[in-house]
Amino acid sequence: MPESAIPAYITSLIRHFEDLRDGTHGGSTARKDKEAHFEKAVQLLAPIARRVLNEMNTNLLLDTGQLTESGLRRTPDGGMNASWALSWPEQRAAGVEPIVLHAYFGGGFHHPHLRGTTVHDWPLNVFSGEDAAAQLSILQAIASSDLHNLVYLSDYRIVPVVTANRASPLNHGAKAT
């Protein structure tokens, strides 16, 4: 099967497993070169991460959320990371963490990963704009799973669209009482 016919999430997994086998990332073996790939991946991924969190803010949080970005930074273990976080009043009041999309390359890792607040470790294999765009569904799944898990840790009332109006767009035409 040609690589273009393979779904992006499968391609990402294959690249990940080949990296493990070969001790490489993006064809590079030196840590410095792998970090350069990671820096580029973060730049390419940033608009996709912002899109996902802005969609959640608009449709679930009724534009009450605040998006923050860490930018690329060095970690205490010698690794690198970047994150995009979405917080909102109900989440903060409930004492649970925000929804976070986190790209990280641990100091002792062979290659970088993506994770959320509660959802951990998806391979990060972004080397082009096309690769970044293909991560949209993965970032949507991470953010959605995070929100689900945060509700589980607290309560459905942290989701403004659910509490704002009982005749929500998904109540299939039910009238507000």
Side-chain angles (χ1 to χ4, degrees):
M1 176 181 282
E3 185 173 323
S4 62
I6 300 171
Y9 74 99
I10 298 292
T11 300
S12 188
L13 285 169
I14 291 169
R15 285 179 179 168
H16 181 74
F17 299 141
E18 288 175 346
D19 284 352
L20 288 172
R21 178 194 66 205
D22 301 339
T24 62
H25 178 64
S28 298
T29 55
R31 176 72 188 200
K32 178 181 170 194
D33 297 333
K34 291 177 183 183
E35 286 183 356
H37 288 307
F38 179 71
E39 186 172 354
K40 181 180 179 186
V42 166
Q43 292 169 358
L44 293 168
L45 203 57
I48 309 302
R50 285 191 293 268
R51 174 182 170 183
V52 168
L53 296 178
N54 283 322
E55 288 171 351
M56 294 189 85
N57 184 37
T58 298
N59 296 295
L60 294 167
L61 307 181
L62 304 177
D63 289 320
T64 62
Q66 178 181 1
L67 177 63
T68 57
E69 301 180 47
S70 71
L72 191 63
R73 54 190 177 187
R74 188 66 63 183
T75 60
D77 72 349
M80 301 173 79
N81 70 23
S83 62
W84 303 267
L86 180 60
S87 63
W88 64 103
E90 293 84 352
Q91 160 263 319
R92 289 188 295 272
V96 293
E97 296 293 318
I99 298 168
V100 178
L101 297 172
H102 187 76
Y104 69 101
F105 189 9
F109 289 21
H110 291 289
H111 46 253
H113 292 85
L114 291 169
R115 71 183 314 166
T117 299
T118 64
V119 177
H120 296 194
D121 301 329
W122 182 259
L124 174 55
N125 288 291
V126 171
F127 303 101
S128 68
E130 183 178 275
D131 288 342
Q135 299 302 301
L136 176 63
S137 62
I138 292 165
L139 293 177
Q140 288 169 327
I142 291 170
S144 297
S145 295
D146 260 355
L147 182 57
H148 172 265
N149 293 340
L150 295 172
V151 164
Y152 177 75
L153 292 171
S154 60
D155 180 294
Y156 71 89
R157 289 178 284 236
I158 69 168
V159 185
V161 75
V162 177
T163 58
N165 184 349
R166 295 196 51 88
S168 79
L170 299 182
N171 281 345
H172 310 289
K175 304 260 191 251
T177 54

